[in-house]
Amino acid sequence: MNPVYLITGSQGPFMTFLVKYLLEQNAQVWAPPGQPEAQIIPPKGTEEAFHPLAQIPRTPLAARALMLDFKNNQRTLDYHLHIYNPAVQGKSLGEISATVIDQNIDTSIKGLVFPLRESLTYMLAQESGSVALVILGGMNTIFPPLQSIGYGAVQEVGRSLFSLYQNEGIAVRGFQAPADVDYGLYLDYISSVLRENTGKTRGRWNKFSGKTGLFGLR
């Protein structure tokens, strides 16, 4: 059967590229529909394999409703990929309004914790599945203050999950690459790691420099 993917996190060009990449690999994909500047239009012939989310699962109700839909339709969730890619110009905290700070935290923290909580619970119940935290950026760079909140959350939540789920029947991994990495190369690397599913890539951050071969890994 075709693998089932749930995609959450930062919307934008990278997520759009990721969804199209997976659809071309004959996957079934549940993901946000995209933003106006990066709307997700499935490649020809894959339209029925793309399932745009009616609600972004960054509230308890939306995340639970999504997994309830999976349960009611007896779907196996093979992969949950959560993306962190700020893709915005940074400002000092003094230049950012309280409203923007609140919205950013709502997206980067609640949008991380609630879908992860539900997908991990679902995968534990089905005794299979793989969760991957995917970061674009942050290698050899420092994020501005607001973006560093989301980055730090993903990094530390990842480390915690690596430890807590190391003896469970599901796999938890992290991936990180430079912001200017070639999307295709990065996703080829991630896909190969997920397919191989070896113990040496579980429970850790797998860093990809953007080069091919052994020298591309850190």
Side-chain angles (χ1 to χ4, degrees):
M1 295 180 65
N2 297 344
V4 173
Y5 284 80
L6 170 63
I7 310 299
T8 59
S10 303
Q11 297 187 70
F14 180 70
M15 182 182 284
T16 299
F17 190 98
L18 167 62
V19 171
K20 291 180 178 179
Y21 176 96
L22 293 174
L23 290 171
E24 290 173 346
Q25 302 297 316
N26 298 316
Q28 294 282 326
V29 182
W30 274 255
Q35 298 172 321
E37 66 275 14
Q39 187 176 2
I40 297 175
I41 302 175
K44 187 176 181 179
T46 68
E47 294 87 353
E48 293 186 1
F50 176 52
H51 309 272
L53 301 180
Q55 291 181 290
I56 308 301
R58 53 175 177 251
T59 67
L61 184 60
R64 196 170 301 121
L66 174 60
M67 287 298 100
L68 184 60
D69 178 67
F70 269 69
K71 182 178 180 180
N72 289 341
N73 288 282
Q74 299 182 325
R75 297 190 190 98
T76 296
L77 177 57
D78 298 300
Y79 302 100
H80 177 188
L81 273 57
H82 183 84
I83 313 302
Y84 184 69
N85 174 21
V88 295
Q89 277 194 323
K91 297 181 179 180
S92 67
L93 285 177
E95 298 176 287
I96 305 171
S97 70
T99 299
V100 171
I101 292 174
D102 189 57
Q103 290 173 342
N104 187 276
I105 291 175
D106 184 65
T107 299
S108 62
I109 306 299
K110 293 181 180 179
L112 166 70
V113 174
F114 289 127
L116 278 179
R117 176 179 181 268
E118 297 299 328
S119 67
L120 285 166
T121 300
Y122 194 82
M123 289 180 178
L124 284 174
Q126 69 182 17
E127 299 182 337
S128 66
S130 179
V131 170
L133 303 176
V134 181
I135 295 178
L136 197 66
M139 289 176 63
N140 304 319
T141 61
I142 298 176
F143 283 123
L146 190 55
Q147 286 69 46
S148 70
I149 294 172
Y151 176 69
V154 175
Q155 284 274 342
E156 293 307 313
V157 166
R159 280 189 250 272
S160 178
L161 295 180
F162 299 157
S163 175
L164 288 171
Y165 290 88
Q166 60 182 324
N167 297 318
E168 300 291 348
I170 61 178
V172 183
R173 298 178 176 83
F175 296 94
Q176 186 170 13
D180 60 353
V181 72
D182 180 280
Y183 291 174
L185 289 179
Y186 190 25
L187 294 178
D188 284 345
Y189 168 63
I190 292 173
S191 294
S192 67
V193 169
L194 294 178
R195 282 195 309 270
E196 291 168 6
N197 195 27
T198 62
K200 67 179 182 181
T201 62
R202 294 186 184 187
R204 55 165 293 197
W205 283 103
N206 298 277
K207 296 187 177 181
F208 181 66
S209 69
K211 302 176 183 178
T212 57
L214 293 176
F215 295 105
L217 309 182
R218 297 186 182 183

